[in-house]
Every structure is written in structure tokens, then in C-alpha cells.
Amino acid sequence: IISKLNGVDMVKCAIYARVSTDEQTVGDYNSIDSQVDICKHYIQVQKERNWVFVKSYTDPGYSGKDLERPGIQELLQDIKAGSIEVVIVYKIERLVRCLYDFYKLWDVFEANGVAFASATQHFDTSVAMGKLTLNILLSFAQFERENTVEKTRDKMKQRAKLGKWHGGWIPFGYNYNTDTKKLV
């Protein structure tokens, strides 16, 4: 880990990136690559603040619904070990989609002197207005997740009422009819 460059103390920055589905990780340049590149550029723009990129942590194919993700757990270990001073994300909802989980992370960040920044959403958590902005962004991220869950649940109920299959493994002894979208 770089801590000094030409005698100047450097601020060790980590990037966290996440996508919810495996499909978003396919291809030569995918969504996680894009998030990491944007965050690296953001770190370069902060060179007058002596920011330096040290590591990226990724969770491809993991929902932001909780903190049970290998990348976020590794990041937390490195924060507690003192290897990270700033965590940068593309957007806050890439880190978490739940206020409760954010505040669990925030407690770890503050206890270890770690700052938090978003490459595309501008807020400064060192002032009251920045904390308010952060809370508003988190509230919208949680609302979006809860709204998606409600819509998905309603859609699945309607499909069940129509006798349509939701997908997954075809049960033994059944075939799937692509015309009627039902198990036979």
C-alpha cells in the first residue's frame, strides 16, 4: 500500500463496485469495469488532495439488499486493518440500498477514520448539508429497491393466477409449453 510518494503523505483510496446480475458482467467491457474506471478518474481529479488508488473491491451478481457480499466484507476487513482512508463508489446505491446497512457501514468508516465519496453524486459528509444530501440519496435508493420488490411480487402473483410458470428448473415429469407459458 502506498502511503508516501516523493515524501508526501498520500491518501489511500479504494473503489467499490457492484452489479445485481451476472448478465451485467458479460463482455470485454462491462458495467463493473465502467464503474471502476469512472471512480479511478475521480481519484485522479483529486490529485491536489493527494488521493491515490490502491485497490478495487467488486461484487458481480450481488444485490445491494444486504451486506452479505464477499467484496464488501473484504473491504471492511481492509478498512479495519488501516489500509484504506477513502471509499469511492460510482453511485451510493452501488454500495447499499438500505439505510440501516449504510449506517452500519458508516459506523465502521467513522470508527476507522475513513471518508466516503461518490464519483457521480456530489456531497461532502463533513458538513450538515452534505449529510442531509446523503440521507436523501439513501432514502431514494431504498425506495427504489422496495418498489421493485413490490412490483415483482405483484407480477408473480398475477402470473400464478393465470397459471403461468415463473421459471427455474422444470419439475420432474413436466414439460414447458412455450406457447402457453405453462407446465404440462
Side-chain angles (χ1 to χ4, degrees), residues 62-107:
Y62 281 87
S63 168
K65 68 182 171 98
D66 59 38
L67 298 176
E68 298 304 315
R69 297 173 258 151
I72 199 83
Q73 292 303 315
E74 183 183 357
L75 172 64
L76 290 171
Q77 287 174 1
D78 286 352
I79 286 172
K80 291 173 184 174
S83 303
I84 305 299
E85 296 172 286
V86 179
V87 174
I88 297 123
V89 294
Y90 170 68
K91 288 187 182 296
I92 193 164
E93 62 265 18
R94 296 297 90 206
L95 185 66
V96 293
R97 287 191 175 265
C98 170
L99 288 168
Y100 177 72
D101 286 340
F102 179 78
Y103 286 113
K104 285 196 293 189
L105 289 174
W106 186 251
D107 285 344

Side-chain angles (χ1 to χ4, degrees), residues 22-156:
D22 290 329
E23 291 81 23
Q24 293 170 291
T25 64
V26 178
D28 292 338
Y29 188 78
N30 59 52
S31 183
I32 284 190
D33 296 332
S34 175
Q35 290 177 46
V36 169
D37 284 350
I38 289 168
C39 291
K40 282 181 178 178
H41 177 74
Y42 183 76
I43 291 169
Q44 290 172 348
V45 170
Q46 307 301 322
K47 65 182 171 187
E48 74 280 353
R49 297 172 72 186
N50 299 327
W51 284 20
V52 62
F53 168 73
V54 292
K55 189 173 181 181
S56 63
Y57 302 82
T58 62
D59 279 318
Y62 281 87
S63 168
K65 68 182 171 98
D66 59 38
L67 298 176
E68 298 304 315
R69 297 173 258 151
I72 199 83
Q73 292 303 315
E74 183 183 357
L75 172 64
L76 290 171
Q77 287 174 1
D78 286 352
I79 286 172
K80 291 173 184 174
S83 303
I84 305 299
E85 296 172 286
V86 179
V87 174
I88 297 123
V89 294
Y90 170 68
K91 288 187 182 296
I92 193 164
E93 62 265 18
R94 296 297 90 206
L95 185 66
V96 293
R97 287 191 175 265
C98 170
L99 288 168
Y100 177 72
D101 286 340
F102 179 78
Y103 286 113
K104 285 196 293 189
L105 289 174
W106 186 251
D107 285 344
V108 174
F109 289 2
E110 284 193 322
N112 292 279
V114 172
F116 175 67
S118 166
T120 60
Q121 299 163 318
H122 305 288
F123 52 84
D124 179 354
T125 57
S126 67
V127 295
M129 183 55 100
K131 288 180 182 176
L132 173 65
T133 303
L134 179 61
N135 278 301
I136 291 169
L137 290 170
L138 284 165
S139 293
F140 276 105
Q142 182 169 332
F143 166 75
E144 182 181 316
R145 182 185 181 290
E146 290 171 357
N147 197 33
T148 300
V149 167
E150 285 178 8
K151 289 189 293 186
T152 302
R153 185 178 26 238
D154 291 345
K155 180 180 176 183
M156 290 178 76

